[in-house]
Amino acid sequence: MLQSFVASIFANSAVIAIIMIFAILIKSNGGTIAITAGLFILAPMIISFFYGIYPWFDKIYELTPFYNSALATSIYAGNGDLMRSIVIAAVTIVIALMAGIQILKAQDIK
C-alpha cells in the first residue's frame, strides 16, 4: 500500500510539473486554467477514441505521466507497474525542471 501511495505521489507530481511549464509559458491565470481543463477533460476524450485501436498509439500513451498517474492509483497495479510509473514520473520531472529553468532564464524576470 505504501509503494502505491509513493508511486501515485510521484506520478501526480509529474503531471503537476507539466502544468507548471504551461503556467510559466502562458503567464495568465485564465489561460493556465483553460489549458489544464483541456488536459483533464478534452484530452482523455480524444485519447479514448484512439486507445486500443492503434498499437503504436498505445505504446506512446503508456509512456506519458497521465497514463502512469492512473496506473499508479489502480487497484490492479503490480510492483512492476508501480516502479515503471515512478521512473517515468522521475524522468518527466527532471525534463520539466530543466525546461522550466531555461524558460525562466529566457524571460528576464527581475
Side-chain angles (χ1 to χ4, degrees):
M1 183 189 285
L2 184 61
Q3 187 178 11
S4 178
F5 181 71
V6 170
S8 67
I9 288 174
F10 270 103
N12 287 316
S13 296
V15 172
I16 291 168
I18 292 171
I19 293 170
M20 290 305 295
I21 292 294
F22 287 131
I24 292 170
L25 288 172
I26 295 171
K27 299 182 207 168
S28 164
N29 291 341
T32 302
I33 292 169
I35 288 181
T36 302
L39 278 174
F40 287 103
I41 296 170
L42 295 176
M45 287 187 334
I46 294 169
I47 289 169
S48 67
F49 289 122
F50 298 118
Y51 192 72
I53 297 175
Y54 303 109
W56 59 269
F57 181 79
D58 296 349
K59 290 179 183 178
I60 293 171
Y61 177 61
E62 289 172 0
L63 294 175
T64 64
F66 302 104
Y67 174 83
N68 285 295
S69 175
L71 182 66
T73 58
S74 173
I75 195 168
Y76 300 110
N79 287 337
D81 295 330
L82 295 175
M83 291 307 294
R84 178 177 159 200
S85 175
I86 290 172
V87 168
I88 290 173
V91 169
T92 303
I93 290 170
V94 168
I95 291 171
L97 180 65
M98 295 301 157
I101 290 170
Q102 293 301 318
I103 292 169
L104 284 175
K105 281 184 182 178
Q107 287 184 349
D108 192 35
I109 298 173
K110 297 193 188 231

